[in-house]
Amino acid sequence: FLFFVCCRALIFPLLIREGKPTPLFTFVLALLFCVFNGYLQGRSLTTYATYPPGWLADSRFITGILGWLIGMAINIHSDHILRNLRKPGETGYKIPRGGMFEYVSGANFFGEILEWFGFALACCTIESLAFALCTLFILGSRARQHHK
């Protein structure tokens, strides 16, 4: 979880090219959401979640971790495709090709949704499921808009 947050917050912004500016209000809302969610997930896992002995070998945990890793790989690869969609100075709409974009129009969104449902399955907490559902509804609506 911490690895993803660091990548998304620190590395990803350094990799993107010039684009549309983000309104301050949107940035503040996103920051507040990430801080609250990070606190909620961390508090849940360190204070309230209890796991039986052998949990790391449980099929739910293993399946969840695999889903998280596959989702993260899809997400990172899709972001790479999107970052390199246009040449410097080029404008206009282009349809991404390659990777999961051959199967879904919002491959980056699909990867992130898969990531967080994998995380929820591995953790088996209400808080992680709530985050996965929020991700599904927020990114699902964005994916639908992008598809249109």
Side-chain angles (χ1 to χ4, degrees):
F1 182 78
L2 184 58
F3 174 76
F4 174 82
V5 172
C6 287
C7 284
R8 184 56 78 189
L10 302 173
I11 297 169
F12 181 75
L14 297 174
L15 295 175
I16 57 176
R17 295 183 185 151
E18 290 182 37
K20 299 175 193 170
T22 302
L24 180 61
F25 184 69
T26 303
F27 170 78
V28 169
L29 285 179
L31 178 67
L32 290 174
F33 175 81
C34 289
V35 167
F36 176 72
N37 181 56
Y39 170 78
L40 184 68
Q41 299 303 324
R43 178 97 171 155
S44 165
L45 291 171
T46 59
T47 306
Y48 301 109
T50 56
Y51 299 101
W55 176 251
L56 298 179
D58 188 279
S59 61
R60 291 169 291 180
F61 179 79
I62 293 169
T63 304
I65 289 297
L66 286 174
W68 182 76
L69 287 169
I70 292 167
M72 183 167 38
I74 291 169
N75 190 4
I76 290 169
H77 184 250
S78 300
D79 282 346
H80 173 75
I81 290 171
L82 290 172
R83 277 193 313 273
N84 295 299
L85 197 57
R86 291 179 205 86
K87 294 177 181 143
E90 195 174 37
T91 60
Y93 183 77
K94 285 196 170 185
I95 296 175
R97 300 279 184 222
M100 284 300 293
F101 284 109
E102 298 301 319
Y103 305 100
V104 292
S105 58
N108 53 327
F109 300 127
F110 171 75
E112 192 159 345
I113 291 167
L114 178 60
E115 232 177 303
W116 297 120
F117 272 95
F119 177 78
L121 183 59
C123 296
C124 283
T125 64
I126 293 295
E127 295 82 3
S128 61
L129 177 60
F131 180 52
L133 289 171
C134 283
T135 302
L136 173 65
F137 295 131
I138 292 167
L139 294 184
S141 67
R142 289 186 63 199
R144 188 168 184 246
Q145 288 173 329
H146 283 244
H147 181 75
K148 287 181 178 182

